[in-house]
Amino acid sequence: MTDRWIPTTDRDQLVRDALVAVRSFSDSMDRMHGVLRSDMDMNGSDLAALRMLIVREQRGEWVSPHEIARHLAISTASTTKLLDRLAERGHIERRPHPADRRARIVVLTDRARSDFFHHLGARMVKMRDVMNAYTDDELRVVARFLDDMDDAMVD
């Protein structure tokens, strides 16, 4: 275990303040996802899989069942059950990979997108409203910061 880090300079204090803000934001996200799980009547793994699919879709990336298993750190058998549940509820479809006929991909349905918008739409509007107070350059820095934090947190 490492010793607790104590800021000793103004820069250290800014770094600490940023880390506290990241933790606070992460806590807010956890609470929002808890409400979303309840509202959508699904477990945490199912919601995490749908969130992963949304992010990857927005990046224009295909997602395989294996990638979902790795992302959630669950077995392939558990992944199959998870995907069966999500397909049965109309949230995902399994399709042939567009470039490799032997492989399958998992895609969101319009119903899943609609459900997410129904449950998150108002929050998304509030988040966009907050962003209106920032300049384009500030938003670029925020986006770069969050991307860098994402890279630092994921192995």
Side-chain angles (χ1 to χ4, degrees), residues 84-101:
D84 288 346
R85 278 192 308 273
L86 292 176
E88 186 176 299
R89 294 185 70 180
H91 291 297
I92 60 109
E93 293 177 357
R94 295 172 174 109
R95 294 184 183 165
H97 191 286
D100 181 356
R101 291 183 304 179

Side-chain angles (χ1 to χ4, degrees), residues 6-125:
I6 299 172
T8 58
T9 66
D10 288 344
R11 170 72 180 188
D12 286 351
Q13 188 59 48
L14 284 172
V15 169
R16 183 186 181 285
D17 292 347
L19 289 171
V20 168
V22 167
R23 278 189 223 110
S24 178
F25 181 73
S26 177
D27 181 59
S28 295
M29 292 291 289
D30 287 346
R31 286 183 280 131
M32 182 182 74
H33 292 143
V35 170
L36 190 57
R37 277 192 311 272
S38 177
D39 288 351
M40 293 183 73
D41 190 30
M42 64 176 49
N43 68 43
S45 294
D46 291 3
L47 181 61
L50 290 178
R51 287 183 9 241
M52 175 205 185
L53 289 167
I54 287 171
V55 169
R56 297 283 295 274
E57 180 181 89
Q58 289 172 337
R59 292 178 181 164
E61 301 170 356
W62 303 114
V63 178
S64 70
H66 176 74
E67 289 170 306
I68 292 172
R70 188 177 54 218
H71 178 79
L72 298 176
I74 60 177
S75 69
T76 54
S78 293
T79 303
T80 299
K81 290 178 185 176
L82 178 147
L83 294 176
D84 288 346
R85 278 192 308 273
L86 292 176
E88 186 176 299
R89 294 185 70 180
H91 291 297
I92 60 109
E93 293 177 357
R94 295 172 174 109
R95 294 184 183 165
H97 191 286
D100 181 356
R101 291 183 304 179
R102 298 167 296 159
R104 307 283 287 169
I105 60 170
V106 180
V107 297
L108 293 168
T109 62
D110 288 338
R111 177 181 176 180
R113 286 184 208 90
S114 177
D115 283 354
F116 264 96
F117 180 77
H118 172 75
H119 294 290
L120 289 177
R123 287 181 181 95
M124 295 303 290
V125 167

Side-chain angles (χ1 to χ4, degrees), residues 142-154:
V142 169
R144 189 181 93 224
F145 172 79
L146 292 174
D147 283 343
D148 291 347
M149 287 292 104
D150 183 45
D151 291 342
M153 292 170 44
V154 177

